[in-house]
Amino acid sequence: MKKLMRGLGLALLPLSVSMAWAQEHPNTKPAEVYLAGTGSATGELEMYQSTDPKAPPMTKAEFDAARVIYFDRCAGCHGVLRKGATGKPLLPELMQNLGTESLKVFMTYGTAGGMPGFGTSNELSEKEIDMMARFIQHPAPLPPEWGMKEIHASWKLLVPPDQRPKKKMNNINLDNLFSVTLRDSGELALIDGDSKKIITILKTGFAVHITRFSGSGRYLYTTGRDGLINLIDLWMETPQTVATIRTGSDARSIDTSKFKGYDDKIAIAGTYWPPAYVLMDGFTLEPKKVMSTRGYTYDEQEFHPEPRVASIVSSHIKPEFVVNVKETGKVLLVNYSDLKNLKTTEIEAERFLHDGGWDSSKRYFLVAANMRDTVSVVDTKEGKLAANVKVGNKPHPGRGANWKDVKYGPVWATGHLGDDTIAVIGTDPAKHKQNAWKVVRSLKNHGNGSLFVKTHPKSSNLWADAALSPDDAAHKSVSVFNLKNLDAPAEVINIAEIAGITKGRVTHPEYNKAGDEVWFSVWGPKTGESAIVVMNDKTRKVKAVIKDPRLITPTGKFNLYNTIKDIY
Ligand code: DHE
């Protein structure tokens, strides 16, 4: 067995530990499992079955079932092409050396390297595990590429710009609109931030990931994990989708041009598969240009066939998008002022880039390289790396949180998936040089598995979730820190209890426009109850609980004004 483990470069958890973990925490995910992902629609695409005579045989029906499972459960870590990403490579020759029986053991019980025990957690049956053990001994099937021909053919302009309203046709206070991801129903809820009433629920792509708004505030863009993008016109009597497009078969990021003079004009979407970004007309989603991110890792300069596009943000100080390429560890500053002669600055940052946000000056972009315990800081004015800052175990900031620290000046913070600390980084090299790009404070969160932290310029609170903590009370609660006295411990508030929900995780704090309310999702099971809890930021007491049978698995919430202006 030890030889086997060395072969895979992994250490097996003792069986008893692995089984106990799965039994005690059937619904919890260690950081690695979270990063491995939710799966995508990629597996459902038709693929060519290439067979290796040295591998145990598989029928076509088994191959088709196995590729769906692979893209759903394995590709996030091991890569679509199985060349390894967060997880180890699973190349056919190595897998054949290990053989079916040994591979079944790994899949059944998991490993200490982060691989879940699919058998012990009852996620896969014995039959499925046997099928998967044979599948990975055959060459990896290639999902279809998705070039301009396919992207263009998928484009649907449902309401052309000249048939849209000439003025706003509703009395919604758009600045305080919240767009809420309803993850498992493939929908978005638009909620009026003033009345807390649901305005409408819109169909979107599969497990829609994020919402961004156009610079003028008229349009909402969202991407599903399946690469389906919806463009929603918020001026209509009831906001509705006016265009859709498929930019790929697996995606997470979208944004629009924010530089002066470019409001609403250009949209960009990043894809995991094929690894690329697509530039589109912001008013119609007509695709203009697709750019591959395949290439060489920044450090070892080895070719990587699937460097996925993680976060994308839009610069306020230049006509540029900041595109973070996960596996190669490169940050691309894509200048959109001339799409025909596209100029891109390629910055060496760190591998496994994920999510991030601006500092308060909007000059520096801080992005988590989570598998490297690092936050990379990009100076977008100079177009170069400002620093790689070592933080805690697997930083996960969302967009992070900015405030003026009483001791250290302007700072930005991130929580961590892998520990219970919040790293506070100095962000002002001009006036607080001695603190810049250093962890000046490490705050203690109430649990590990933090996904998001948030504050607001008008607030003196910092809120942090611990949504992926295995501890039941911790993932139902949030920490709230007093920014005027960070030496004092945080107050811990059980938000799920306030909502009267027994099964659910509390995640993604988001402020209203005024900065006096903070909204949390209580993310319940797909068939159970969920809620949104609105806290009074000043008193830290509940202000409203939004419950509705249509609020199925709410996760991310995006306040229009704060999202456009990057206030966090
Ligand atoms: Fe996310 C942001 C990727 C799982 C909720 N997530 C992001 C971004 C990326 C990303 C690249 C940054 C987008 C940007 O700014 O352009 N997320 C991934 C994954 O690869 C991962 C780990 C696995 C997967 O298969 O998707 C993953 N994410 C999740 C979830 O399970 C979460 C908690 C619930 C959900 O809705 O799926 C989730 N991710 C979010 C949210 C944001 C996000 C709410 C936006 C944060 C913000 O405030 O901007």
Side-chain angles (χ1 to χ4, degrees), residues 243-531:
T244 60
I245 195 166
R246 276 289 286 275
T247 49
S249 52
D250 197 357
R252 300 292 180 280
S253 49
I254 186 149
D255 214 337
T256 80
S257 46
K258 288 185 182 168
F259 185 61
K260 203 161 173 262
Y262 287 91
D263 272 357
D264 303 13
K265 284 199 174 145
I266 297 164
I268 182 171
T271 44
Y272 273 13
W273 187 268
Y277 60 92
V278 180
L279 293 153
M280 294 161 281
D281 180 288
F283 298 101
T284 62
L285 296 184
E286 183 181 2
K288 297 288 184 194
K289 200 171 188 98
V290 52
M291 297 291 294
S292 172
T293 50
R294 289 189 172 109
Y296 295 83
T297 56
Y298 91 91
D299 45 2
E300 289 153 7
Q301 309 209 20
E302 290 210 333
F303 183 73
H304 201 293
E306 46 170 324
R308 298 174 281 179
V309 174
S311 45
I312 298 182
V313 294
S314 187
S315 170
H316 296 259
I317 62 166
K318 283 186 185 178
E320 277 179 358
F321 293 122
V322 182
V323 176
N324 297 282
V325 187
K326 194 184 277 287
E327 279 77 10
T328 49
K330 293 176 180 175
V331 178
L332 310 177
L333 305 181
V334 179
N335 186 310
Y336 52 72
S337 61
D338 180 0
L339 297 188
K340 285 269 172 231
N341 303 287
L342 197 72
K343 291 181 187 63
T344 304
T345 306
E346 185 183 286
I347 298 170
E348 296 182 5
E350 185 51 287
R351 294 185 69 185
F352 308 110
L353 300 172
H354 194 74
D355 52 351
W358 294 104
D359 78 308
S360 54
S361 77
K362 317 265 188 292
R363 167 175 174 172
Y364 300 99
F365 180 68
L366 295 99
V367 52
N370 40 37
M371 300 309 287
R372 292 280 160 97
D373 304 337
T374 295
V375 167
S376 292
V377 186
V378 176
D379 178 350
T380 60
K381 190 171 169 203
E382 295 291 330
K384 59 184 193 193
L385 186 76
N388 271 333
V389 186
K390 276 280 169 208
V391 291
N393 190 324
K394 299 187 186 68
H396 193 284
R399 285 165 286 172
N402 287 289
W403 69 92
K404 206 161 174 193
D405 192 273
V406 285
K407 256 196 204 154
Y408 302 104
V411 294
W412 177 92
T414 178
H416 296 91
L417 290 168
D419 65 39
D420 64 357
T421 64
I422 295 170
V424 181
I425 298 171
T427 58
D428 180 14
K431 292 197 188 124
H432 297 85
K433 196 164 178 229
Q434 70 284 15
N435 304 327
W437 321 133
K438 291 189 184 112
V439 177
V440 292
R441 288 183 190 271
S442 177
L443 307 177
K444 188 158 167 30
N445 200 9
H446 62 286
N448 61 11
S450 176
L451 288 174
F452 303 109
V453 291
K454 195 67 57 83
T455 185
H456 185 280
K458 296 215 175 105
S459 167
S460 54
N461 287 325
L462 169 73
W463 300 79
D465 68 18
L468 296 186
S469 165
D471 183 86
D472 191 65
H475 65 237
K476 287 182 169 141
S477 303
V478 297
S479 277
V480 50
F481 298 86
N482 178 357
L483 294 177
K484 298 206 171 113
N485 180 14
L486 283 170
D487 298 328
E491 180 183 352
V492 180
I493 304 176
N494 191 321
I495 299 281
E497 200 172 83
I498 290 175
I501 288 182
T502 48
K503 218 171 162 196
R505 292 164 190 280
V506 172
T507 193
H508 203 247
E510 178 79 350
Y511 275 84
N512 63 342
K513 188 200 166 193
D516 57 9
E517 290 172 359
V518 57
W519 293 37
F520 289 95
S521 299
V522 187
W523 172 13
K526 188 175 177 185
T527 49
E529 199 179 33
S530 290

Side-chain angles (χ1 to χ4, degrees), residues 1 4-5 7-8 10 12 55-56 78 82 88-111 115-119 124 126 128-138:
M1 181 61 70
L4 268 180
M5 284 146 50
L8 270 179
L10 298 168
L12 261 189
H78 298 285
R82 301 198 210 131
K88 298 285 167 185
L90 303 177
L91 299 170
E93 209 187 311
L94 176 61
M95 298 302 102
Q96 286 165 18
N97 288 342
L98 292 171
T100 309
E101 289 312 310
S102 314
L103 291 170
K104 278 161 65 176
V105 173
F106 283 111
M107 291 180 192
T108 306
Y109 300 109
T111 71
M115 178 158 149
F118 289 106
L124 294 180
E126 263 180 54
E128 285 170 325
I129 287 177
D130 176 69
M131 185 174 78
M132 294 310 292
R134 287 179 287 129
F135 176 73
I136 57 173
Q137 296 176 65
H138 289 276

